[in-house]
């Protein structure tokens, strides 16, 4: 009989065009607040061309955290080299990190952030950068516990097109 910790073990899976439909259901879970039923999760769908292109990029990574055969969270990463100050090396950017509320505080976010460090090292990044909402103290605490420091010299700005 499996132990409780083995049943709740979290592992990571890189998203590709084959498993992307399951990832799309995870995104819908985040947006709608409800997990798709297992029958919905098995419906095959066409992967949009823009998604296929993004997933094929060597400077982009998308990983999900999986627990009991369910995708429960994800991290989206981009590497951006700089040709000046860092002589062609740049930063890995955490574009998104999300874990389903019922699975928070179980190590999934830390495991996903550890994967970010692995990707950063593999591409020669000089560091990792991310944005965290000022109204999300839980995420701020997570990043602080992982050694991330705030910057009083940078502001996040966004323009929707």
């Amino acid at each position: 009989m499996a132990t409780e910790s083995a049943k709740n073990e979290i592992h990571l899976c890189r998203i590709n065009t084959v498993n992307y439909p399951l990832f799309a259901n995870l995104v819908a879970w985040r947006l709608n607040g409800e997990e798709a039923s297992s029958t919905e999760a098995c419906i095959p769908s066409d992967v949009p061309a823009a998604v296929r292109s993004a997933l094929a990029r060597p400077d982009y990574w998308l990983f999900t955290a999986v627990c009991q055969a369910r995708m429960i969270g994800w991290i989206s990463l981009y590497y951006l080299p700089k040709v000046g100050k860092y002589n062609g090396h740049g930063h890995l950017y955490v574009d998104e990190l999300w874990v389903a509320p019922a699975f928070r505080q179980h190590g999934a976010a830390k495991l996903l952030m550890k994967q970010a460090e692995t990707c950063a090292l593999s591409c020669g990044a000089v560091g990792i950068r991310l944005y965290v909402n000022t109204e999300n103290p839980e995420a701020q605490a997570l990043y602080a516990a992982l050694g991330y420091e705030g910057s009083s010299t940078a502001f996040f700005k966004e323009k929707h097109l």
Side-chain angles (χ1 to χ4, degrees):
M1 183 168 189
T3 65
E4 188 65 29
S5 63
K7 288 189 335 187
N8 294 322
E9 185 174 315
I10 297 169
H11 68 276
L12 300 185
C13 175
R14 187 166 183 183
I15 296 300
N16 55 42
T17 55
V18 174
N19 60 14
Y20 178 79
L22 293 171
F23 173 73
N25 284 330
L26 180 61
V27 174
W29 183 4
R30 177 184 183 182
L31 297 174
N32 302 326
E34 291 184 27
E35 184 176 13
S37 72
S38 59
T39 55
E40 290 175 298
C42 294
I43 298 172
S45 64
D46 292 334
V47 178
V51 171
R52 286 182 184 276
S53 177
L55 292 174
R57 292 178 58 113
D59 55 357
Y60 176 71
W61 298 267
L62 180 60
F63 289 92
T64 61
V66 179
C67 182
Q68 298 178 1
R70 294 164 62 198
M71 291 183 182
I72 60 165
W74 79 82
I75 193 166
S76 175
L77 307 164
Y78 288 93
Y79 175 65
L80 183 62
K82 283 196 165 195
V83 292
K85 182 176 180 181
Y86 298 115
N87 296 319
H89 297 279
H91 285 83
L92 184 81
Y93 288 83
V94 177
D95 179 54
E96 285 187 293
L97 173 67
W98 182 80
V99 175
F103 293 91
R104 293 178 185 164
Q105 302 294 317
H106 293 95
K110 288 180 181 177
L111 191 59
L112 290 163
M113 290 300 295
K114 183 69 175 164
Q115 183 63 49
E117 289 182 18
T118 299
C119 290
L121 291 170
S122 75
C123 62
V126 296
I128 299 173
R129 291 182 173 167
L130 55 85
Y131 153 81
V132 60
N133 193 306
T134 58
E135 296 175 7
N136 190 343
E138 292 85 3
Q140 291 176 43
L142 167 72
Y143 299 131
L146 295 175
Y148 288 78
E149 299 174 353
S151 170
S152 61
T153 60
F155 294 96
F156 178 77
K157 301 290 183 187
E158 186 172 34
K159 179 179 181 179
H160 294 278
L161 303 175

